[in-house]
Amino acid sequence: MSYKGGPYGNTSACSYESLSFPDTAKEYKEIAKTEGKTVSGLFREMFFFYKQEKLKKEFFAFQDYGVEKAKELNISEEEIERLIFAGR
């Protein structure tokens, strides 16, 4: 499968059939059919959910970092809010 005429010229695209596990490719196609989606549509949806989960993990990691820093500096929640709004 290839995509012609895009901004990057002729490029090859990976097909679900090129997965190294034939059973996985078959199951993927069946899931798409059951969900009433195209294989591409299912991939886009899966990628969207992947990005959302990655953002959640980054958010919670940042939040944990902030909590640890606040503990190290002995800053209260009220003081944090005051500092945030003072900077705006």
Side-chain angles (χ1 to χ4, degrees), residues 16-17 19 21-40 42-43 46:
Y16 69 93
E17 293 162 339
L19 294 172
F21 302 101
D23 293 339
T24 303
K26 182 180 177 186
E27 183 178 7
Y28 185 83
K29 190 175 181 181
E30 288 172 3
I31 291 169
K33 186 177 180 180
T34 301
E35 295 290 320
K37 300 178 185 331
T38 63
V39 171
S40 296
L42 180 60
F43 179 80
M46 289 170 38

Side-chain angles (χ1 to χ4, degrees), residues 3 6-7 15 23 25 33 35 39 41 45-47 53 55 58-59 63 67-70 78:
Y3 175 74
S15 163
D23 293 339
K33 186 177 180 180
E35 295 290 320
V39 171
E45 184 176 323
M46 289 170 38
F47 190 64
E53 287 302 310
L55 286 172
E58 290 172 2
F59 172 79
Q63 190 177 43
V67 167
E68 288 303 313
K69 278 297 182 188
E78 293 80 21

